[in-house]
Every structure is written in structure tokens, then in C-alpha cells.
Amino acid sequence: MKNVIYIFFLFGLTACTSFLEVEPKSSISGESVIVDETSAKAALNGAYSALRDYYSVNYQSIAYLSGDNIEWTGSQSQVQEFINHRVKPENPTISSTWSGIYKTINRANSIIKTLKTISSESISTTVRNQVLGQALAIRGLAYFDLVRVWGGVPIITEPTDRVGQNVGIPRATAEETYLQVLSDLNEAEGLLPSTTDRFSITKKTVQALKARYFLYRKEWQQAQAYASLLIDDPEYELVNPYYNFFVDNVVGTKESVFELFYSANELNPHRGQWQPQNNGGTRQWAPNAALVTLLNDPTKGGARSALIAKDNQDRWYGNLYYRSPATDPTYIVRIAELFLIRAEALAQLNQIEVAQQDLNRVRSRAQLQPLNFESKEDLLIAIEEERRLEFALEAHRWFDLVRTGRAKSVLGFTEDYKLLLPIPYSQILADHVLKQNPGYSL
């Protein structure tokens, strides 16, 4: 893929929900595509396709490999850079991730601009609000993913229809980028219906994303309030035992708040990276010895030991992604995360007893005994460890350690600059105003 900012491709294939059962259009300009309800839904499907694309391998691999759960068994040195925390600006994974996220943003921008100007006679208010709200939420999630990896980034809110159109736009600050995220999520929340859909974004999905947002921003009252909206909703529950949200080819269980759906026509290549050769994979990502020990410890891993298995060479491999063909969903938000968000927020508010109740609900589902704490500090470490194992093969661990200020001590490096990754070198070359993160050579 040519690595220039805001490069765009044809829209992908259809998503799974009825609202999106429309073939995406082969265009990058929302104004020339969206003329009615059918084309609006097709354009939205294209935005979801781009979201699925960057979440299928690239973005998640940054989160896995930068943490302390996964080892790399392959020979490519650029992948080992994440584990060693010596990522170079020329690294192809960060370049592909950057381009993939901005591709998603551009598709969302096209929808947003067009639906804010299109004639009301062309599209009903109901469909307009649903498509617009989802596009705003997708853009908000995309900017949230950008700021978690790179800090402040260029904020682009107008659609791009040619390469180089946005050259010359400087990076916003991290604070400004977070404000853009919140603005998009707030607007989306006001447009979307309070329905339950585990594969496309509704008001409930946005509320879950806002709970995560406020956790990162250390706005504890807001984080626990938004998490409670989902926890108190009977449409969501911790399915029991733990592995029932992914075994036997299930999708869209009551555990799921939002997962990305893949099909035989649009595969999720994640599977091949995890599965061993005798299962048709490459096993280039594998649980490291420390994670294997924790997951197999009945006092810590419990039922979560189902996340790993042994191959015919007696090697451990990750088994969250296992389907053939590779149609495994990507889990963006599960209700377990909302329980642990609320637990952490309540602990920070010194509500120790209530916080540990949420923690213990997650532990009980994993067939573990409850824990009791007297100090906030001990409880917060326990929540951190619980998140490490609950989401062992999902894209959380690195970002959790960074946001809590514990990455350096846990992962064993001393340089502050490594908490952010370098802006891709190809982007720096393409735009002279795009400044590199401190600590990385040009």
C-alpha cells in the first residue's frame, strides 16, 4: 500500500445487519455518492468496511505486541520492534495503521458532510440520523485510536477526494484530539436510537465508548455513570462460563456490546497469525510464558485458560481466533470491560467496597474466588491484572499500562518518549508541517 496521508480505496463488502445490507459504492466523494437512502446506507457500509480493515490485524497488533502478553515467533525485525520498544518511523505496521485509520475517517467525513447538507426530500429524518450518527461515532472511535497511539494528530473533518489535498494541516495537540473525539461521540449519542445491535453502532454503543473515553480522561464520575447505563441494561450480561462468548462459532452473544463482523467474502486475517501450522496458520503471535502461566493458574486465569491451547508440537497458541474460514469477529467492546471500567472509576473515587463487587463479578464469571481489599492501591493493581487476563488476546494491555502511568515500570524501559509511537516516516516526507514525536529520528 502506498503510504501517503489520506489514501483511499474502493469500499468493501456488506456488513451483517439488515440496515447495512446494501453494496458499498466505488467512490471517495460522499457528495457524488449519497443521493438517497440506499446510497447513504451503502456509503456507511464503506465506512464500516474501512473500520474492519484496520482492526483486523494492524491496530490490534500494535496493542498486543507492545504489551507483555504476546511474543513474536517470526523473523521480521520490524515486528519485534514493538516488543523491544524500539519502533522506528519506517516500520510498515504503523504506516499501514495510520493510513487505514485516516481512510476510515475520510469515509466518515464524506457521509457527515453530505448528510448535513443534503435535501430533506432525498432521505428521511430517521435514516439520515441513523447514518449520520454512526458515521460520527466511527470518526470519533478512529480519532480515539489515533490519539492513543500517537498523541495529537492532524484533525481532518472535510472529505478528501485527491492525494495531497490535506497537506499542510499541522498536528493538533492530544487535548484537542480528545475534544474532537468527545464532540463526535456527543453528537452521535443525540442522533442514534436506544436499540440493541451488536454489529452496528447505536446510542448504547456510543455510551459504552464514552465510558471508555472518560476512563482514559480520568473523569471518574462520568466513566462510572456511562458504564452503569450498559451494566444495568438487561440486554447485556456476562455470559457464563467465560469462553461462551467465543466458542462454537458464536457471534453477537449478550456479552457483546460491539463487535466487527466478518464473512467468507471479507475474511479476518487475524486467525492465521494465531493458529499453528497444523491448523492452517503461522502462529507468528503466541502467548508468552508469563501469560501461559497466569492463564493456567486456577486462582488467576480460571476459565480464561480456554484462550490458549497446545499444538501438535506441544507449543502454546492463542485460540480466540480459530474459525475456518477466518470469519472471527473483532471484539471492540464487551460488557466485561464496562464492569472493569466502573470498578476502576469507583476505586479512584474511594468507593472500595462497591468497586470490588464489580471486579468480583468478572472474577466469578471466570470461575475465580472473590477478592477483598482495604486499600485503593491494591484494588487498582488487582483491576489492572484482571484486565490483563480478561482481555489477554484483545487490544487493551499496552494502552492500559500507558494510561495508568505504569508502562515503564511494568515493561522495563525508562524513556518517556516511547509511550507514543513515531509518526510514519512516509507521512513526514509527504508533509513538511507534520512534526515527528520527540525522541524519534527523522
Side-chain angles (χ1 to χ4, degrees):
M1 178 165 51
K2 185 179 179 182
N3 295 319
V4 181
I5 301 177
Y6 324 132
I7 207 163
F8 311 108
F9 301 89
L10 302 185
F11 285 176
L13 297 171
T14 58
C16 65
T17 58
S18 60
F19 189 75
L20 297 177
E21 289 175 352
V22 181
E23 190 71 17
K25 301 295 183 181
S26 312
S27 174
I28 57 176
S29 172
E31 292 179 310
S32 64
V33 172
I34 300 176
V35 295
D36 54 20
E37 293 184 1
T38 299
S39 55
K41 294 175 184 179
L44 178 61
N45 201 4
Y48 274 107
S49 181
L51 184 67
R52 288 193 296 272
D53 184 53
Y54 86 74
Y55 259 106
S56 65
V57 173
N58 289 329
Y59 191 78
Q60 296 211 95
S61 70
I62 290 173
Y64 299 136
L65 299 169
S66 300
D68 54 357
N69 283 341
I70 308 303
E71 65 181 2
W72 168 251
T73 69
S75 59
Q76 295 172 296
S77 60
Q78 65 265 28
V79 179
Q80 193 68 32
E81 290 175 7
F82 294 101
I83 294 174
N84 295 337
H85 302 286
R86 297 176 180 174
V87 182
K88 298 176 182 178
E90 298 86 359
N91 187 287
T93 297
I94 62 169
S95 183
S96 296
T97 304
W98 176 282
S99 296
I101 297 178
Y102 272 109
K103 178 176 72 174
T104 305
I105 288 170
N106 187 68
R107 292 184 178 180
N109 284 343
S110 295
I111 296 167
I112 294 164
K113 181 175 181 179
T114 303
L115 291 185
K116 287 188 174 183
T117 58
I118 195 170
S119 168
S120 59
E121 298 177 356
S122 303
I123 185 169
S124 70
T125 299
T126 298
V127 172
R128 174 193 173 277
N129 288 349
Q130 287 191 38
V131 175
L132 177 58
Q134 290 177 76
L136 284 160
I138 288 171
R139 187 173 73 180
L141 175 58
Y143 275 117
F144 184 69
D145 290 340
L146 283 169
V147 73
R148 290 198 291 175
V149 176
W150 287 287
V153 296
I155 295 176
I156 311 299
T157 57
E158 290 289 321
T160 299
D161 58 11
R162 65 182 183 278
V163 173
Q165 185 172 336
N166 287 322
V167 169
I169 297 177
R171 295 176 64 181
T173 64
E175 180 67 24
E176 290 167 338
T177 308
Y178 273 118
L179 289 175
Q180 179 65 47
V181 174
L182 185 58
S183 175
D184 283 342
L185 294 180
N186 282 341
E187 190 174 355
E189 186 180 15
L191 291 169
L192 292 168
S194 294
T195 54
T196 302
D197 190 326
R198 306 182 200 281
F199 305 105
S200 59
I201 295 170
T202 70
K203 185 189 296 287
K204 294 179 182 182
T205 321
V206 173
Q207 291 167 342
L209 292 173
K210 288 180 73 172
R212 181 190 289 174
Y213 170 90
F214 287 123
L215 182 77
Y216 274 70
R217 302 297 285 154
K218 303 185 187 328
E219 296 184 35
W220 312 123
Q221 291 282 9
Q222 291 276 58
Q224 69 88 19
Y226 271 96
S228 294
L229 292 175
L230 279 294
I231 291 170
D232 295 339
D233 189 324
E235 292 294 325
Y236 306 101
E237 65 181 33
L238 293 165
V239 297
N240 201 358
Y242 169 83
Y243 44 78
N244 275 357
F245 80 87
F246 69 90
V247 296
D248 298 328
N249 296 308
V250 298
V251 296
T253 69
K254 295 188 79 171
E255 172 85 18
S256 178
V257 177
F258 181 42
E259 62 188 59
L260 295 176
F261 179 87
Y262 297 81
S263 70
N265 292 321
E266 187 179 14
L267 297 175
N268 184 353
H270 231 55
R271 177 199 186 279
Q273 303 281 352
W274 288 108
Q275 290 293 313
Q277 287 84 349
N278 60 292
N279 289 346
T282 60
R283 193 185 165 271
Q284 295 187 86
W285 301 334
N288 62 24
L291 179 62
V292 168
T293 298
L294 289 169
L295 289 175
N296 284 328
D297 185 336
T299 68
K300 295 180 179 180
R304 293 177 295 217
S305 61
L307 288 171
I308 56 175
K310 279 189 174 181
D311 68 5
N312 59 356
Q313 299 181 53
D314 206 35
R315 303 175 304 177
W316 290 101
Y317 65 92
N319 205 33
L320 180 61
Y321 297 89
Y322 61 87
R323 303 168 206 230
S324 184
T327 57
D328 308 88
T330 293
Y331 304 98
I332 304 296
V333 185
R334 294 194 283 114
I335 194 64
E337 182 185 354
L338 279 300
F339 275 103
L340 293 175
I341 285 174
R342 191 169 74 173
E344 186 173 339
L346 289 169
Q348 293 286 2
L349 294 168
N350 295 306
Q351 298 183 41
I352 305 300
E353 183 175 349
V354 185
Q356 71 183 17
Q357 289 175 6
D358 280 342
L359 170 63
N360 285 329
R361 287 181 71 175
V362 175
R363 288 180 56 80
S364 175
R365 189 273 291 271
Q367 301 175 352
L368 298 170
Q369 294 299 309
L371 299 175
N372 292 290
F373 301 91
E374 294 184 0
S375 76
K376 178 174 78 172
E377 291 71 25
D378 289 344
L379 176 54
L380 287 171
I381 292 298
I383 293 169
E384 176 188 294
E385 187 70 4
E386 207 67 31
R387 289 181 64 99
R388 178 184 183 181
L389 300 181
E390 178 69 24
F391 311 116
L393 306 184
E394 297 168 68
H396 289 277
R397 178 62 172 169
W398 164 248
F399 299 124
D400 283 342
L401 291 174
V402 171
R403 68 176 176 79
T404 58
R406 285 179 38 80
K408 291 190 295 182
S409 61
V410 171
L411 300 175
F413 62 88
T414 59
E415 303 90 341
D416 286 337
Y417 78 86
K418 292 183 178 179
L419 299 174
L420 295 175
L421 296 188
I423 303 295
Y425 181 58
S426 55
Q427 309 300 335
I428 299 291
L429 287 179
D431 191 346
H432 69 281
V433 306
L434 192 61
K435 303 301 181 184
Q436 183 58 271
N437 276 327
Y440 295 100
S441 59
L442 296 179

